[in-house]
C-alpha cells in the first residue's frame, strides 16, 4: 500500500509553498490545503494501447493558484506500479532511495514515484508512458512510473481553438510565408484570429496554461503520490518544466534527469533560428551518412549526388505536387516535414532515404506520407484522435512562457527572412513564421528568463551533439542557469539521448537509482540505431 500524507504534513508543506506563490490582492497567501491533502483514487484506464497494469486517476488543481477559490480542473494521471522487488511500501519516496542493511542505498529498494513529461508542449503523458516502458527496465523494479497530461493538454481540460483556427495553426507552422508585404499582413491577421479563437473556445483556463502553473500542478501531484521529493524525468519541453520546478521548489527537488534540453532564455525568433540551423546540420549529416554507404545509398554514392537528388525532388514538387494514395497533394512543404520528422530519430534515416528515392524516381510519396501521418498521430485518412490537441497546446503554452512580442510583426518577419534562409536553405523559409507565432497573444511571463542558481540539488542534463530540435548548446546554457548541473554528452544524432544510447541509459539510470552522477565532461560515443 502506498503511504498516505497526513493533514499535518500537508500543513507543514504549506509554509514552504508560500514562498513560491503570489499573494492575493489583499496580501494574503492563497489557501491550497484542500489540494495538498487530496488522495488519488486509482482505477482502470481507457487509453488506447495502455501497457499492462497501467492505472489512471484524476488530480484536482486550481485554475488560478492566486485565486484557488475561483474554479478547478482535473488532470489525468497514469502510473505503472513498481515491479515486485524488495520489501516495504513504495509510497515513502524521499528522493534519496532506501538504505540497505549495509547502509548504502539499494538500487532495487522502493523509491516512490518517478514522474515523466515527454515534451511538446502538448504531448500526452498518458499516451506516451507505454511507449517508454521498454527503455526503463532497470528503473521499473524501484519506481512507480508516473505521467500525466499537463493542464490544457489531452484529457486535462484541453486548450481548444476551433476547427478553422486549428487548421490555420497547422498551415502557418508548416509552410513558408510569402515574401511580399500583403502576404505578410495576411499572415499577421490570421495569427491574431487564431489567438482570438483560442480565447473564445478555451475560456478562463487559457491565461493559466503556462509552465509556471504546470510546475505547481507537478508539486500537488508529488504530494498526492506520497513523495517527499519529486523524482523526475523530463524530455524536450519536459526539461523546461523540470527547470521551472527546480526553481520554484528547490527543497522538494529529488533526482532529476533532463534529456534534450530546452532553452530557458531564447525567445520565439531566437529559438526558431537555432532550430533551423540545427535541422540543416542534421540534414547534411543524414546525406553524408547515406552517401558513405556507397552503392547502398538510394540517393547517390557521394554527398554531392545525394544532395542533388534531394534538391531536384524539392524543385519538382515546387513545380507540381505529387499525389498521395488518397488523392491529396504532397508538396515540397510536406517533403520538408517528412525530413524534419525523420531527423528526430536516427533509426528512421534509412526509411527517409528510401522514401525520397521512391518519390524522386517514381513520383510516389507513400513512404514519406506515412512518416508524416505517424508523427502527426493521424490515421490513413489523415484524421487525428479527438483528444489530440497538441498543436493548440504547443502554441498556448509557448506563448504563455514568452514575454517578447514584436511591435510590428510583419516588419519583424520581413527583417528575419533573409537570415533564416541563409542559416538553413532547406528549413529556414518555413521556420521563420514561428518567430511571430504569438502575435495576438498577451505577453507571457518573464519568470523563466530569470531562473538563476535555483538552490536545488545537482541535475543530470543530457545533450545530444546532433539534436536538431533542442540544439546541443542549450544543455550547457540551462545547466549554468540551474546552478548545479552535470551535462552528459551523447555524440550521436536525433532528438534525445536516453532512448538512443545504452551508454546514456546506463548513466542516467545509475543516477536515478543510486544518486551517482557521471563526472562533468563525460560523453557517450555514437551508437548504431537498432533495426527499424
Amino acid at each position: 500500500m502506498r503511504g498516505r500524507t497526513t493533514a499535518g504534513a500537508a500543513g507543514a508543506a504549506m509554509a514552504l509553498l508560500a514562498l513560491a506563490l503570489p499573494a492575493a490582492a489583499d496580501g494574503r497567501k492563497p489557501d491550497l490545503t484542500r489540494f495538498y491533502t487530496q488522495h488519488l483514487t486509482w482505477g482502470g484506464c481507457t487509453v488506447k494501447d495502455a501497457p499492462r497494469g497501467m492505472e489512471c486517476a484524476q488530480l484536482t488543481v486550481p485554475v488560478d493558484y492566486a485565486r484557488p477559490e475561483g474554479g478547478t480542473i482535473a488532470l489525468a494521471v497514469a502510473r505503472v506500479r513498481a515491479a515486485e522487488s524488495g520489501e516495504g511500501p513504495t509510497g515513502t519516496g524521499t528522493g534519496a532511495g532506501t538504505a540497505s542493511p549495509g547502509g548504502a542505498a539499494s538500487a532495487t529498494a522502493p523509491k516512490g514515484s518517478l514522474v515523466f513529461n515527454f515534451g511538446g508542449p502538448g504531448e500526452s503523458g498518458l499516451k506516451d508512458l507505454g511507449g517508454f516502458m521498454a527503455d526503463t527496465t532497470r528503473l521499473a523494479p524501484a519506481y512507480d512510473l508516473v505521467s500525466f497530461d499537463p493542464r490544457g493538454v489531452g484529457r486535462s481540460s484541453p486548450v481548444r481553438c476551433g476547427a478553422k483556427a486549428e487548421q490555420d495553426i497547422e498551415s502557418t507552422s508548416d509552410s513558408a510565408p510569402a515574401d511580399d508585404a500583403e502576404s505578410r499582413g495576411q499572415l499577421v491577421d490570421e495569427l491574431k484570429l487564431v489567438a482570438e479563437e483560442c480565447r473564445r473556445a478555451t475560456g478562463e483556463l487559457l491565461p493559466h496554461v503556462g509552465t509556471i502553473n504546470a510546475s505547481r500542478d507537478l508539486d500537488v501531484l508529488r504530494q498526492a503520490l506520497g513523495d517527499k521529493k519529486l523524482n523526475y524525468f523530463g524530455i524536450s519541453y519536459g526539461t523546461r518544466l523540470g527547470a521551472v520546478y527546480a526553481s520554484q521548489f528547490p527543497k522538494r527537488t529529488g533526482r532529476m534527469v533532463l534529456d534534450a534540453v530546452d532553452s530557458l532564455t531564447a525567445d520565439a525568433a531566437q529559438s526558431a533560428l537555432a532550430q533551423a540551423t540545427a535541422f540543416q546540420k542534421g540534414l547534411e549529416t543524414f546525406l553524408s551518412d547515406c552517401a558513405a554507404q556507397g552503392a547502398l545509398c538510394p540517393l547517390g554514392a557521394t554527398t554531392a549526388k545525394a544532395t542533388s537528388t534531394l534538391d531536384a525532388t524539392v524543385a519538382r514538387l515546387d513545380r507540381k505536387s505529387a499525389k498521395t494514395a488518397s488523392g491529396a497533394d504532397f508538396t515540397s512543404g510536406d517533403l520538408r516535414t517528412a525530413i524534419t520528422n525523420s531527423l528526430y530519430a536516427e533509426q528512421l534515416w534509412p526509411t527517409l532515404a528510401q522514401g525520397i528515392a521512391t518519390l524522386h524516381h517514381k513520383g510516389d510519396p507513400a513512404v514519406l506520407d506515412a512518416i508524416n501521418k505517424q508523427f502527426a498521430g493521424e490515421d490513413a485518412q489523415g484524421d487525428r484522435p479527438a483528444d489530440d490537441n497538441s498543436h493548440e497546446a504547443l502554441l498556448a503554452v509557448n506563448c504563455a512562457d514568452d514575454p517578447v512580442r514584436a511591435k510590428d510583426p510583419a516588419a519583424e518577419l520581413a527583417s528575419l527572412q533573409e537570415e533564416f534562409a541563409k542559416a538553413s536553405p532547406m528549413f529556414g523559409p518555413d521556420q521563420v513564421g514561428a518567430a511571430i507565432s504569438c502575435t495576438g497573444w498577451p505577453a507571457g511571463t518573464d519568470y523563466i528568463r530569470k531562473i538563476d542558481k535555483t538552490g536545488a540539488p545537482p541535475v543530470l542534463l543530457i545533450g545530444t551533439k546532433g539534436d536538431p530540435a533542442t540544439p546541443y548548446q542549450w544543455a550547457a546554457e540551462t545547466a549554468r542557469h540551474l546552478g548545479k548541473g552535470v551535462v552528459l554528452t551523447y555524440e550521436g544524432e536525433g532528438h534525445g539521448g536516453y532512448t538512443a544510447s545504452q551508454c546514456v541509459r546506463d548513466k542516467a539510470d545509475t543516477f536515478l537509482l543510486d544518486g551517482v552522477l557521471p563526472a562533468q565532461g563525460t560523453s557517450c560515443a555514437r551508437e548504431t540505431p537498432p533495426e527499424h
Side-chain angles (χ1 to χ4, degrees):
M1 295 280 296
R2 175 168 292 284
R4 294 196 170 192
T5 304
T6 67
M14 291 300 102
L16 289 173
L17 182 67
L19 298 175
L21 291 174
D26 58 5
R28 294 180 299 171
K29 295 293 182 182
D31 183 4
L32 301 175
T33 304
R34 68 184 177 113
F35 302 105
Y36 273 84
T37 55
Q38 67 183 296
H39 305 300
L40 295 173
T41 302
W42 296 99
C45 296
T46 59
V47 180
K48 183 179 179 181
D49 299 325
R52 180 182 176 185
M54 191 167 97
E55 303 173 294
C56 287
Q58 289 191 327
L59 180 77
T60 301
V61 295
V63 170
D64 181 356
Y65 276 87
R67 295 176 52 255
E69 71 284 355
T72 64
I73 57 173
L75 303 185
V77 183
R79 75 174 177 186
V80 177
R81 297 297 300 270
E84 294 297 326
S85 62
E87 298 179 356
T90 61
T92 56
T94 64
T98 302
S100 67
S106 169
T108 58
K111 291 176 172 57
S113 305
L114 178 61
V115 181
F116 292 86
N117 180 280
F118 298 103
E123 289 297 310
S124 166
L126 271 66
K127 291 181 179 179
D128 290 348
L129 183 59
F132 206 70
M133 297 294 294
D135 293 307
T136 58
T137 54
R138 283 186 65 195
L139 302 175
Y143 285 105
D144 289 354
L145 305 181
V146 178
S147 195
F148 65 109
D149 287 1
R151 58 173 54 212
V153 174
R155 302 182 181 209
S156 298
S157 297
V159 171
R160 293 298 185 191
C161 300
K164 183 181 184 305
E166 181 181 349
Q167 293 174 355
D168 289 341
I169 292 171
E170 294 185 50
S171 64
T172 55
S173 63
D174 293 342
S175 59
D179 58 3
D180 61 275
E182 182 178 358
S183 297
R184 287 193 291 267
Q186 290 175 348
L187 174 60
V188 170
D189 290 341
E190 288 177 6
L191 292 172
K192 290 179 179 178
L193 180 60
V194 165
E196 178 57 35
E197 289 300 312
C198 292
R199 282 192 288 271
R200 182 178 296 116
T202 302
E204 65 177 4
L205 176 63
L206 193 64
H208 307 289
V209 297
T211 303
I212 296 294
N213 287 313
S215 169
R216 292 167 178 157
D217 295 341
L218 198 53
D219 197 57
V220 175
L221 175 60
R222 172 202 58 76
Q223 184 81 355
L225 291 169
D227 293 324
K228 294 180 181 179
K229 293 190 176 183
L230 176 73
N231 296 312
Y232 177 82
F233 196 128
I235 302 169
S236 195
Y237 162 77
T239 68
R240 188 197 311 171
L241 177 58
V244 171
Y245 185 90
S247 179
Q248 288 189 299
F249 305 102
K251 296 184 183 300
R252 301 183 201 167
T253 301
R255 295 172 186 171
M256 182 174 287
V257 174
L258 307 180
D259 186 13
V261 184
D262 196 3
S263 171
L264 300 179
T265 59
D267 61 30
Q270 293 165 337
S271 179
L273 182 60
Q275 288 179 320
T277 303
F279 272 107
Q280 185 69 34
K281 179 184 175 184
L283 173 60
E284 291 166 0
T285 301
F286 157 72
L287 292 170
S288 62
D289 275 15
C290 185
Q293 301 173 49
L296 295 178
C297 177
L299 302 178
T302 67
T303 301
K305 175 58 179 173
T307 303
S308 176
T309 299
L310 175 58
D311 289 344
T313 307
V314 172
R316 184 188 304 168
L317 292 176
D318 283 339
R319 294 190 298 270
K320 184 179 180 180
S321 300
K323 293 292 183 181
T324 67
S326 65
D329 287 336
F330 189 89
T331 67
S332 60
D334 294 320
L335 171 57
R336 285 189 289 272
T337 298
I339 296 171
T340 298
N341 288 336
S342 301
L343 292 177
Y344 274 77
E346 191 178 353
Q347 62 263 37
L348 287 177
W349 289 14
T351 304
L352 174 63
Q354 190 58 58
I356 295 171
T358 302
L359 176 58
H360 178 74
H361 294 296
K362 299 180 180 180
D364 182 2
V367 174
L368 303 175
D369 186 49
I371 290 172
N372 288 346
K373 282 184 166 56
Q374 179 184 2
F375 269 77
E378 297 175 350
D379 59 22
Q381 288 71 45
D383 295 324
R384 287 191 293 143
D387 62 351
D388 181 354
N389 73 321
S390 52
H391 292 102
E392 299 100 313
L394 183 146
L395 178 64
V397 174
N398 281 340
C399 292
D401 287 355
D402 189 351
V404 177
R405 297 291 183 271
K407 293 182 179 179
D408 185 341
E412 173 87 354
L413 192 61
S415 70
L416 292 173
Q417 284 181 308
E418 183 178 350
E419 182 180 11
F420 272 67
K422 183 178 179 180
S424 174
M426 180 63 70
F427 305 110
D430 287 352
Q431 287 277 70
V432 68
I436 63 165
S437 57
C438 291
T439 296
W441 294 75
T445 180
D446 64 352
Y447 176 91
I448 300 171
R449 300 286 185 270
K450 296 177 179 178
I451 292 176
D452 184 46
K453 297 179 177 58
T454 63
V459 173
L460 177 61
L461 303 96
I462 303 168
T464 297
K465 280 286 185 72
D467 193 324
T470 50
Y472 175 69
Q473 65 268 21
W474 287 353
E477 292 173 5
T478 297
R480 288 195 296 271
H481 287 286
L482 291 175
K484 294 180 182 178
V486 171
V487 176
L488 171 62
T489 297
Y490 175 49
E491 303 284 350
E493 301 295 319
H495 187 44
Y498 186 86
T499 59
S501 164
Q502 185 63 53
C503 170
V504 170
R505 274 195 300 282
D506 288 344
K507 296 183 187 307
D509 289 352
T510 295
F511 171 57
L512 289 169
L513 293 170
D514 300 326
V516 178
L517 283 161
Q520 192 71 265
T522 299
S523 65
C524 289
R526 184 180 182 183
E527 297 179 20
T528 302
E531 293 292 331
H532 179 70

